[in-house]
Amino acid sequence: TPEKLAASDAFVSAFAQATTAALKTHQKEKLEALRNAVLNVAVGTTLAEDLQTLFINLIDSFTPQHLLALDYLEHRNQALRGKLSAQEDLIDQAVTDLNSRGMIKDTRPYAARGRDAEMPLINCQWDISAMGKQFLAFIKLPD
């Protein structure tokens, strides 16, 4: 009920933080992720408050390409891959950001990491980290 949501500190915090982030963007993908995050808090998705705050901050700082790259790495859908190939330099930066923020894990041999490669980074074998899986669940429309 609205009364229960108003009494929930976690919901009020998520709603305020997501609203602030939403005011700073027009990008459909980010607005959808913010909406879904608030809905997940409303239906009782339990995350540590710090993790909830971190995830909403990530939505705010990520570009739609970050979200698309993460979705592609989770599903390896070729239709998504087609959307990524037009912007390979930007997608390489998004993959690097996702890795540095703990959303994905680099499974390449240690000696191959950090080296320039001719192929786009999105083509490398990346695994979604446990935190990345939590993030993806948090930004998806709740059941």
Side-chain angles (χ1 to χ4, degrees):
T1 64
E3 294 79 22
K4 282 186 181 178
L5 290 176
S8 167
D9 291 340
F11 175 78
V12 170
S13 293
F15 183 79
Q17 187 183 8
T19 300
T20 301
L23 290 170
K24 297 187 288 182
T25 188
H26 68 281
Q27 296 169 317
K28 177 183 78 137
E29 299 87 350
K30 290 177 68 162
L31 292 170
E32 183 178 310
L34 290 164
R35 180 201 65 207
N36 292 345
V38 171
L39 288 173
N40 276 303
V41 174
V43 299
T45 300
T46 54
L47 285 177
E49 286 184 36
D50 288 347
L51 197 54
Q52 176 181 299
T53 300
L54 173 69
F55 285 172
I56 294 173
N57 280 336
L58 286 175
I59 298 167
D60 187 22
S61 66
F62 283 167
T63 66
Q65 286 73 26
H66 284 84
L67 301 175
L68 184 64
L70 194 56
D71 193 30
Y72 169 74
L73 291 171
E74 180 184 33
H75 298 105
R76 301 289 175 175
N77 178 314
Q78 289 309 310
L80 291 175
R81 180 65 181 101
K83 292 180 182 179
L84 295 171
S85 53
Q87 306 168 16
E88 287 183 353
D89 289 342
L90 182 58
I91 296 304
D92 275 359
Q93 184 59 53
V95 169
T96 301
D97 291 347
L98 291 169
N99 185 44
S100 71
R101 294 183 187 208
M103 299 286 107
I104 58 177
K105 296 183 288 187
D106 192 346
T107 61
R108 295 176 295 171
Y110 189 74
R113 297 178 192 179
R115 291 188 181 177
D116 288 335
E118 289 184 25
M119 71 175 178
L121 287 175
I122 197 76
N123 292 338
C124 296
Q125 183 60 41
W126 301 92
D127 288 339
I128 305 294
S129 68
M131 189 165 70
K133 289 176 185 176
Q134 283 183 294
F135 177 76
L136 284 166
F138 189 64
I139 66 169
K140 293 222 163 102
L141 190 62
D143 295 333

